[in-house]
Amino acid sequence: MPDVDRDDDGPLNTHARLDALLSRIIQEPEKRQAISEEIERDFTRRSAVMVLDMSGFTRTTQRHGIVEFLLMVHQMRLLAVPTIQGLGGKLVKAEADNLYCLFETVEAAVRAAREIVTRLSTVNVLLPVDRRLYASIGIGFGDILVLDEEDLFGDEVNLTSKLGEDVAQGGQILLTEAARAELDPGVETTVERVSISGLLLVYHVVG
């Protein structure tokens, strides 16, 4: 990923600076457009976003307790993070059994997702059935607001999270419509639709 945008005093995309800019919009409403453009310029990146969710949180915790679940999360990260970084991705944050990552291209994100699924399948041959590792992965593309290199916001982040956490099954890689549009037409995908909270969500399953 590209280096963090900085000025002489440090990174531009900090929580403190964003809070200050939002406060200025309240205090100086006549400057709203100019300040909004400044936020978009300094805080957003046009990137691919990948959200990886580890399947089986509730089942594993109920059967074996929280320590066993934490061990499985740790194993997942040991396998996934080097693959993400090796293909040019950046792990922005890890929450519970989720990983939120940025890539310069959707192609790189899909390659990383496929490699992660393959590596997990290989490792699972050696693991007991009830301790096998499965990842559900969503990939999106668009203008992503990045804060302090540790948090992500935006419509594509929300859609990608829904795909990775709520829609994808273990081992599946799902793309938003924006992400699919960035891929070569020759890449095999299947279009699907699902209703979530009354909203129709169109997504693409990577073959």
Side-chain angles (χ1 to χ4, degrees):
M1 295 297 296
D3 292 337
V4 179
D5 290 333
R6 303 175 65 92
D7 61 14
D8 292 339
D9 298 318
L12 296 175
N13 64 332
T14 64
H15 280 275
R17 181 161 179 260
L18 180 61
D19 287 346
L21 289 169
L22 294 174
S23 293
R24 281 186 58 201
I25 291 178
I26 296 171
Q27 297 161 3
E28 304 173 82
E30 72 280 3
K31 298 181 180 179
R32 182 188 188 100
Q33 182 174 344
I35 297 171
S36 296
E37 291 173 355
E38 184 176 350
I39 291 172
E40 291 179 3
R41 182 190 69 232
D42 293 341
F43 288 82
T44 63
R45 303 174 196 170
R46 196 152 185 82
S47 305
V49 56
M50 182 176 84
V51 177
L52 181 153
D53 177 68
M54 195 179 86
S55 304
F57 170 83
T58 302
R59 182 180 66 252
T60 300
T61 304
Q62 288 176 343
R63 290 183 180 178
H64 304 292
I66 191 65
V67 172
E68 185 64 29
F69 169 72
L70 292 174
L71 177 60
M72 293 175 70
V73 170
H74 184 65
Q75 290 175 307
M76 173 73 77
R77 292 179 184 175
L78 289 176
L79 285 166
V81 173
T83 300
I84 291 163
Q85 295 173 338
L87 288 167
K90 176 182 178 60
L91 174 63
V92 177
K93 68 175 180 177
E95 288 187 348
D97 59 341
N98 293 338
L99 301 179
Y100 296 80
C101 314
L102 290 179
F103 290 82
E104 290 190 21
T105 66
V106 173
E107 180 184 4
V110 170
R111 286 179 59 199
R114 282 175 164 164
E115 186 169 331
I116 289 167
V117 170
T118 298
R119 293 189 68 187
L120 292 177
S121 296
T122 301
V123 169
N124 282 341
V125 174
L126 305 175
L127 295 174
V129 172
D130 60 350
R131 288 176 169 80
R132 288 177 179 172
L133 306 171
Y134 298 98
S136 306
I137 300 174
I139 296 173
F141 181 82
D143 293 327
I144 312 298
L145 190 148
V146 185
L147 280 181
D148 277 330
E149 304 306 306
E150 62 183 22
D151 215 347
L152 303 173
F153 298 94
D155 288 342
E156 280 295 297
V157 176
N158 295 337
L159 289 173
T160 303
S161 295
K162 287 185 182 298
L163 292 182
E165 297 172 12
D166 301 329
V167 181
Q169 302 298 310
Q172 277 193 320
I173 302 167
L174 307 184
L175 310 177
T176 67
E177 290 191 279
R180 180 62 188 89
E182 290 293 308
L183 280 182
D184 188 286
V187 177
E188 182 182 348
T189 61
T190 304
V191 64
E192 299 284 353
R193 294 169 176 81
V194 67
S195 180
I196 299 179
S197 301
L199 298 176
L200 180 65
L201 177 60
V202 179
Y203 62 94
H204 301 261
V205 184
V206 176

